[in-house]
């Protein structure tokens, strides 16, 4: 691993992650590793968080203690997975917190003059990229010793001129800076957003949503050029032209500090929006209509509160884990699943013949989201009569749709998957044919999946879209023999330790580099 080209903070975090993963692989606690090194448990914790300066001598001792070559000379190669499929999974696995809620709340912290503590934050690449951006403009962001809780303090003056443009361009979440920043400067620029290769995604809905607050945006030459002209209005109604999650979040972020009352119609009521509303209410923003498509926001020009919020569990990760069990014909319990946001998915799976049980419900640590433990049993699946397509919540989650392509490949009969939201995402699902599935691409939005599939191992290059990439990995779990999935870095963008957690429930996955 070459560290000279990386910022020091990033290099230390990467080394820390390597140490943590190697320690877990060896079945060691932090205290046991500390004893091998002749140091303290707190020192090991700092190393794993990337908060400890490391000498070459200490790196050598770490490598010896972990029986793992943590650092090697030469360029950093892409990450690949070697998957030995055809194994049954078993036991239980807990759902981690929501990636999409985390990025929304990181952006929302820009509104607060006080201290924001976010608990149960996913340690994923998307979060780290946003933190790099926030730190580059002067925001203090500190992890606790365990590396799960994050405290943010925003300065009175932020330094947009010093923004980490590279990190900003590698995440679409940067677009949610527009809502908070329009209250801070009459003119500002942001690097143009990047992210998954899912086809053209216009910023026009964001422009429409933010125009009533006086914001005009022009996207050119890799930058968003923003101009804010105060409107003087104290009553405004926004009708969103699409019920998008990030568009709704941006409108909420703008309305939170806008004097008067803002009514947002055709608003998303999806899980990440609900987390954002709950956080804003803690800040003192009055919001009515949580969980509905009409939100009424009573803005507060000054938000100054010390708040503590625990992010809810991720329904898309829950669906990923359920899919892993389904395609491998396993009996598996997915714990702390946010059933409120999985009800349509479970209804479709029941129609396809999946046998499962849902525990009594209980509340998430945010005091609002409904959770349950879902146990699935090996089942003979059949294709649904109707096509499977996503809808805004409370419909089938747009990000959960790709998993039904893998599940449909297990089912008897032909299933139409209609991904009407994204221009090209369905194309990536055709990569399942490399593993033996019968997936016919009808057009850029529709695939026909004919099953059941006799999965076969193969070598596949990871598609450049997060959910289809995970679908390929899950199909490899079902394919007997050894498969290789190359260039899997995109999966770390949205999942925390997915490979390790699959191994813990019985999967055989090895990480390697060229």
């Amino acid at each position: 691993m070459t560290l000279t080209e990386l910022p020091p903070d990033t290099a230390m975090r990467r080394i820390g992650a390597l140490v943590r993963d190697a320690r877990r692989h060896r079945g060691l606690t932090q205290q046991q590793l500390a004893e091998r090194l002749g140091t303290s448990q707190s020192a090991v914790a700092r190393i794993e968080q990337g908060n400890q300066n490391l000498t070459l001598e200490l790196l050598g001792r770490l490598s010896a203690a972990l029986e793992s070559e943590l650092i090697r000379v030469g360029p950093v190669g892409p990450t690949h997975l070697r998957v030995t499929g055809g194994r049954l999974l078993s036991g239980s696995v807990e759902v981690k917190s929501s990636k999409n809620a985390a990025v929304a709340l990181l952006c929302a912290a820009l509104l607060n003059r006080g201290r924001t503590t976010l608990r149960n934050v996913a340690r994923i690449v998307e979060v780290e990229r946003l933190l790099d951006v926030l730190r580059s403009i002067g925001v203090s962001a500190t992890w606790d010793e365990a590396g799960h809780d994050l405290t943010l303090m925003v300065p009175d003056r932020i330094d947009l001129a010093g923004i980490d443009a590279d990190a900003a361009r590698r995440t679409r979440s940067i677009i949610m800076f527009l809502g908070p920043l329009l209250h801070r400067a009459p003119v500002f620029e942001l690097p143009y957003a990047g992210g998954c290769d899912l086809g053209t995604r216009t910023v026009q809905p964001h422009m429409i949503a933010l125009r009533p607050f006086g914001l005009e945006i022009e996207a050119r030459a890799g930058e968003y050029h923003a101009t804010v002209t105060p409107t003087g209005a104290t009553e405004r109604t926004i009708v969103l032209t699409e019920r998008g999650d990030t568009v709704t979040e941006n409108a909420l972020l703008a309305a939170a500090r806008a004097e008067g009352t803002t009514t947002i119609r055709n608003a998303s009521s999806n899980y990440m929006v609900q987390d954002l509303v709950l956080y804003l209410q803690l800040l003192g923003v009055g919001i009515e209509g949580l969980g509905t498509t009409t939100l009424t926001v009573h803005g507060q020009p000054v938000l100054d509160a010390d708040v503590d919020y625990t992010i809810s569990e991720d329904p898309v990760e829950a669906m990923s884990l359920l899919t892993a069990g389904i395609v491998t014909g396993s009996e598996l319990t997915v714990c702390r699943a946010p059933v409120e946001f999985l009800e349509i998915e479970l209804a479709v799976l029941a129609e396809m013949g999946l046998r499962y049980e849902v525990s009594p419900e209980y509340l998430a640590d945010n005091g609002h989201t409904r959770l349950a433990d879902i146990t699935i049993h090996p089942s003979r699946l059949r294709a649904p009569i109707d096509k499977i397509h996503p809808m805004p919540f409370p419909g089938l989650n747009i990000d959960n749709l790709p998993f039904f392509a893998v599940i449909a490949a297990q089912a008897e009969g032909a299933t139409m998957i209609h991904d009407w939201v994204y221009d090209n995402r369905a194309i990536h699902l055709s990569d399942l044919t490399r593993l033996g599935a019968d997936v016919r691409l009808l057009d850029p939005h529709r695939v026909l999946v004919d099953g059941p599939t006799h999965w076969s191992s193969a070598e596949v290059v990871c598609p450049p879209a997060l959910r289809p990439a995970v679908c390929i990995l899950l199909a490899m779990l079902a394919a007997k023999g050894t498969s290789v999935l190359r260039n899997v870095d995109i999966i770390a963008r949205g999942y925390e330790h997915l490979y390790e957690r699959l191994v813990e429930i019985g999967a055989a996955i090895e990480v390697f580099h060229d």
Side-chain angles (χ1 to χ4, degrees):
M1 178 178 180
T2 299
L3 303 175
T4 54
E5 296 181 358
L6 296 174
D9 287 350
T10 302
M12 300 306 286
R13 287 198 300 273
R14 289 193 181 181
I15 295 173
L18 288 171
V19 171
R20 178 197 59 221
D21 292 346
R23 173 180 62 77
R24 290 175 174 173
H25 180 70
R26 294 296 172 192
L28 298 174
T29 65
Q30 287 184 340
Q31 182 60 43
Q32 288 169 328
L33 177 56
E35 290 170 359
R36 290 190 179 190
L37 294 172
T39 186
S40 66
Q41 181 272 331
S42 60
V44 172
R46 288 195 299 273
I47 290 171
E48 294 186 357
Q49 293 164 35
N51 295 329
Q52 176 75 39
N53 289 327
L54 298 174
T55 64
L56 289 176
E57 185 269 338
L58 179 54
L59 286 171
R61 286 164 53 206
L62 280 164
S63 295
L66 294 167
E67 302 174 40
S68 174
E69 185 185 19
L70 295 173
I71 306 297
R72 57 189 171 88
V73 178
V76 180
T79 303
H80 315 301
L81 300 179
R82 188 174 290 110
V83 182
T84 303
R87 298 191 176 197
L88 291 177
L89 308 181
S90 62
S92 62
V93 58
E94 279 198 359
V95 178
K96 288 189 175 288
S97 65
S98 162
K99 161 221 167 189
N100 288 326
V103 297
L105 294 171
L106 289 178
C107 299
L110 288 170
L111 296 167
N112 187 19
R113 290 185 178 180
R115 183 187 67 250
T116 293
T117 299
L118 299 177
R119 303 199 181 277
N120 196 28
V121 182
R123 296 298 297 264
I124 56 173
V125 171
E126 188 80 351
V127 166
E128 296 293 351
R129 286 177 184 167
L130 264 185
L131 287 176
D132 286 341
V133 176
L134 288 168
R135 289 180 177 124
S136 71
I137 62 175
V139 176
S140 168
T142 308
W143 293 100
D144 71 339
E145 283 205 5
H148 300 304
D149 300 341
L150 183 65
T151 299
L152 301 112
M153 291 290 297
V154 181
D156 291 336
R157 296 177 64 89
I158 58 177
D159 178 21
L160 283 179
I163 195 167
D164 184 336
D166 179 63
R169 288 194 176 99
R170 294 171 68 191
T171 170
R172 279 198 176 92
S173 305
I174 195 68
I175 200 168
M176 285 191 291
F177 275 36
L178 294 172
L181 290 181
L182 68 85
H183 297 291
R184 283 185 165 264
V187 177
F188 61 90
E189 295 180 352
L190 284 175
Y192 193 82
C196 283
D197 177 17
L198 295 175
T200 303
R201 290 173 66 181
T202 176
V203 298
Q204 188 64 27
H206 293 267
M207 297 181 183
I208 294 170
L210 297 176
R211 194 172 294 135
F213 302 97
L215 182 70
E216 292 292 336
I217 311 163
E218 183 180 354
R220 66 175 189 270
E223 303 281 338
Y224 292 129
H225 295 260
T227 304
V228 185
T229 305
T231 65
T234 57
E235 301 282 337
R236 60 195 72 80
T237 297
I238 300 168
V239 179
L240 301 182
T241 54
E242 66 173 42
R243 199 184 303 170
D245 300 326
T246 57
V247 176
T248 301
E249 289 166 332
N250 237 343
L252 277 167
L253 293 169
R257 284 190 56 192
E259 189 171 358
T261 300
T262 303
T263 301
I264 306 170
R265 301 197 188 280
N266 196 30
S268 166
S269 51
N270 210 357
Y271 61 97
M272 71 292 284
V273 175
Q274 294 198 24
D275 266 298
L276 177 58
V277 169
L278 293 168
Y279 168 79
L280 292 176
Q281 288 174 333
L282 285 179
L283 283 185
V285 181
I287 304 177
E288 301 155 14
L290 176 64
T292 76
T293 57
T294 299
L295 296 170
T296 303
V297 184
H298 306 283
Q300 299 292 329
V302 177
L303 297 174
D304 188 352
D306 293 339
V307 296
D308 190 308
Y309 184 75
T310 302
I311 300 172
S312 67
E313 282 71 10
D314 193 331
V316 183
E317 178 175 292
M319 187 66 201
S320 308
L321 297 170
L322 289 170
T323 303
I326 292 168
V327 300
T328 56
S330 303
E331 183 165 308
L332 182 68
T333 299
V334 177
C335 301
R336 301 187 67 82
V339 288
E340 179 177 357
F341 302 99
L342 290 165
E343 289 175 335
I344 304 301
E345 285 84 340
L346 290 172
V348 172
L349 290 170
E351 180 190 350
M352 296 178 72
L354 180 69
R355 296 185 298 115
Y356 65 88
E357 299 159 3
V358 180
S359 75
E361 294 182 4
Y362 51 96
L363 287 180
D365 291 339
N366 67 6
H368 176 78
T369 304
R370 296 189 284 117
L371 305 179
D373 303 337
I374 304 171
T375 300
I376 58 173
H377 304 285
S379 307
R380 185 172 181 176
L381 302 180
R382 57 185 177 273
I385 295 173
D386 197 6
K387 65 180 180 296
I388 300 178
H389 62 97
M391 289 292 286
F393 179 78
L396 192 147
N397 191 298
I398 292 165
D399 284 336
N400 279 340
L401 182 71
F403 301 115
F404 279 93
V406 190
I407 295 169
Q410 294 285 103
E412 183 80 34
T415 303
M416 173 79 73
I417 308 287
H418 186 194
D419 190 351
W420 57 268
V421 178
Y422 293 108
D423 290 343
N424 296 315
R425 188 172 66 174
I427 293 173
H428 300 309
L429 295 174
S430 62
D431 285 342
L432 290 169
T433 59
R434 302 285 303 278
L435 295 159
D438 184 351
V439 179
R440 281 170 282 170
L441 182 68
L442 303 181
D443 57 47
H445 294 276
R446 297 182 305 152
V447 294
L448 187 66
V449 184
D450 208 347
T453 298
H454 299 289
W455 297 104
S456 56
S457 58
E459 181 168 321
V460 182
V461 176
C462 215
L466 174 59
R467 310 305 174 185
V470 176
C471 287
I472 300 297
L473 171 59
L474 298 181
M476 287 180 171
L477 296 181
K480 291 184 178 180
T482 300
S483 297
V484 172
L485 184 58
R486 293 196 171 273
N487 303 340
V488 298
D489 290 336
I490 193 169
I491 295 177
R493 200 182 134 230
Y495 291 81
E496 184 177 6
H497 307 309
L498 178 61
Y499 324 134
E500 296 90 337
R501 293 161 64 219
L502 289 171
V503 167
E504 288 173 0
I505 55 176
I509 302 173
E510 178 188 351
V511 180
F512 70 99
H513 301 270
D514 289 331

